Amino acid sequence: MTVSISPDPLNLALGMPKAELHVHIEGTLEPELAFALARRNGVSLPYADEAALKAAYAFDSLQSFLDVYYACAAVLVTRADFCELMLAYLERAAADGVIHAEIFFDPQTHTARGIPFATVLEGLEDGLAEGARRWGVSGCLILCFLRHLPEDECLAALAGAEPFIGRIHGFGLDSSERGHPPSKFARLFARCRALGKPVVAHAGEEGPPAYITEALDVLGALRIDHGVRAVEDAAVLARLVREGIPLTVCPLSNTRLCVFKTMAEHSLPQLLAAGVRVTLNSDDPAYFGGYLNANIRAVQAAFGFDAATWYRLARNSFEASFATDEEKAGWIARLDAWFAEAGAAPA
Ligand code: ADE
Ligand code: ZN
């Protein structure tokens, strides 16, 4: 029996195979799991119950979100907790058609509470291995440094991670952007590059386009996370296009954190029209109203993209990944087959 797929662009986009390149595993902690782990580990959350926690999700800035995000991360204690968190994410991602995920984790959030780095890493790896078995999702880990902390503390965190270096796919920079420019971390990222790892950085989310330039020039970032404020500087925008720098854009995150007041005001269409290699991602889906397909629905409601644009976004997600050329070719063949079966030839 052949099953025909509706060639409606939204259905094509929801069902198409795709990669997710910007998701913080701590940002996938749903309220139900947060309270279950709090009970299991005897940790008290500063919210009376799930309803009170959800009520705290009325963010007006990146910092207002990070305060809640760091508070909730305190429930993650054991290797099994990190495994459960990863599995819960991978199940949802697989249901959204994600076949490859490059997943951020923030070890300093955990080691500062006395959780060993190995506990965090091994738990996340357990989840990745089980997720690959159950749903066929390929995944790897990108270690993010917290930019609100001094560079010396981040260098110490890197030293703590170095014994595990073969199990870390790349390095990133996240947390409070304003007042913490990429140039603060020049030595740290020189060391990351010397270890032979690809580097990414959050830039141009709340911070100015100049932070995107610094992330490229000073840190050697190969992808920019968010980068949505690039449209405010024509030279920065032109450079992203010229050099083919991918942006990992997270539309629901940007509207929930008031980077844009409404989805209609998001810079995504301008970035695409300029020819930037945009990818779509969920960032912290437990906090921002949904996983990758929720982002796709919200974007489609605002902009009504055609099938060719959705194909381009999915193809970008594979091309911008840090996988091998062989893996990328296999995933793109699956994407092409999905569009061909729907009678919507890839553009
Ligand atoms: N950490 C988790 N989510 C983040 C975001 N959107 N920006 C910066 N740091 C983060
Ligand atoms: Zn992020």
Side-chain angles (χ1 to χ4, degrees):
M1 187 184 78
T2 55
V3 180
S4 73
I5 306 157
S6 161
D8 167 64
L10 177 60
N11 285 336
L12 277 169
L14 296 175
M16 67 189 179
K18 40 184 107 61
E20 174 142 73
L21 306 179
H22 182 163
V23 58
H24 302 260
I25 199 62
E26 295 87 353
T28 70
L29 179 59
E30 294 285 344
E32 298 72 17
L33 183 57
F35 275 91
L37 295 181
R39 280 189 296 274
R40 192 155 98 191
N41 294 322
V43 174
S44 77
L45 282 167
Y47 310 96
D49 52 27
E50 288 172 31
L53 172 55
K54 286 181 192 161
Y57 289 2
F59 309 119
D60 60 7
S61 63
L62 174 57
Q63 193 59 52
S64 66
F65 153 68
L66 290 170
D67 292 343
V68 180
Y69 166 89
Y70 291 129
C72 289
V75 304
L76 295 159
V77 176
T78 67
R79 176 172 173 168
D81 298 343
F82 287 96
C83 175
E84 204 172 326
L85 180 67
M86 178 61 83
L87 271 180
Y89 162 67
L90 291 174
E91 181 166 24
R92 290 182 151 100
D96 281 0
V98 172
I99 58 173
H100 175 66
E102 302 190 353
I103 302 163
F104 295 143
F105 71 119
D106 289 344
Q108 289 161 292
T109 303
H110 312 299
T111 54
R113 298 179 287 115
I115 314 294
F117 181 84
T119 300
V120 179
L121 182 66
E122 285 163 3
L124 296 176
E125 288 177 336
D126 291 345
L128 283 174
E130 185 60 25
R133 272 192 294 274
R134 287 195 201 170
W135 304 295
V137 183
S138 102
C140 61
L141 297 170
I142 296 181
L143 188 164
C144 280
F145 297 102
L146 302 183
R147 69 200 304 163
H148 65 273
L149 297 175
E151 186 184 36
D152 281 344
E153 281 188 35
C154 296
L155 281 161
L158 177 55
E162 281 190 36
F164 307 90
I165 195 68
R167 294 148 68 178
I168 296 162
H169 215 82
F171 291 98
L173 183 66
D174 66 3
S175 195
S176 324
E177 187 179 10
R178 285 202 183 117
H180 301 286
S183 52
K184 179 179 162 188
F185 299 97
R187 286 183 302 146
L188 175 70
F189 281 86
R191 177 84 195 126
C192 293
R193 292 195 313 274
L195 289 166
K197 299 292 174 179
V199 161
V200 298
H202 283 56
E205 177 186 16
E206 272 192 346
Y211 283 18
I212 298 173
T213 305
E214 277 191 16
L216 297 172
D217 290 341
V218 183
L219 306 187
L222 300 178
R223 295 196 298 245
I224 298 294
D225 297 313
H226 297 293
V228 292
R229 290 191 57 195
V231 294
E232 295 171 28
D233 186 320
V236 173
L237 188 63
R239 178 178 181 188
L240 293 177
V241 175
R242 196 171 58 244
E243 297 183 11
I245 307 289
L247 297 188
T248 62
V249 172
C250 308
L252 282 175
S253 165
N254 296 149
T255 49
R256 290 299 177 101
L257 300 187
C258 307
V259 173
F260 301 101
K261 277 206 233 48
T262 66
M263 194 61 81
E265 292 164 84
H266 198 288
S267 61
L268 173 62
Q270 284 165 271
L271 293 167
L272 284 169
V276 178
R277 293 177 70 193
V278 175
T279 68
L280 289 189
N281 306 273
S282 68
D283 204 7
D284 300 286
Y287 294 91
F288 299 149
Y291 291 73
L292 194 41
N293 275 355
N295 278 269
I296 286 175
R297 287 180 193 281
V299 163
Q300 190 65 352
F303 302 119
F305 288 155
D306 59 12
T309 303
W310 287 114
Y311 174 81
R312 174 44 54 199
L313 286 162
R315 189 175 173 120
N316 286 350
S317 75
F318 295 126
E319 289 178 346
S321 76
F322 293 138
T324 64
D325 288 346
E326 202 183 344
E327 287 170 314
K328 291 182 192 185
W331 296 330
I332 291 169
R334 286 172 67 178
L335 176 66
D336 287 353
W338 173 259
F339 276 74
E341 196 172 331

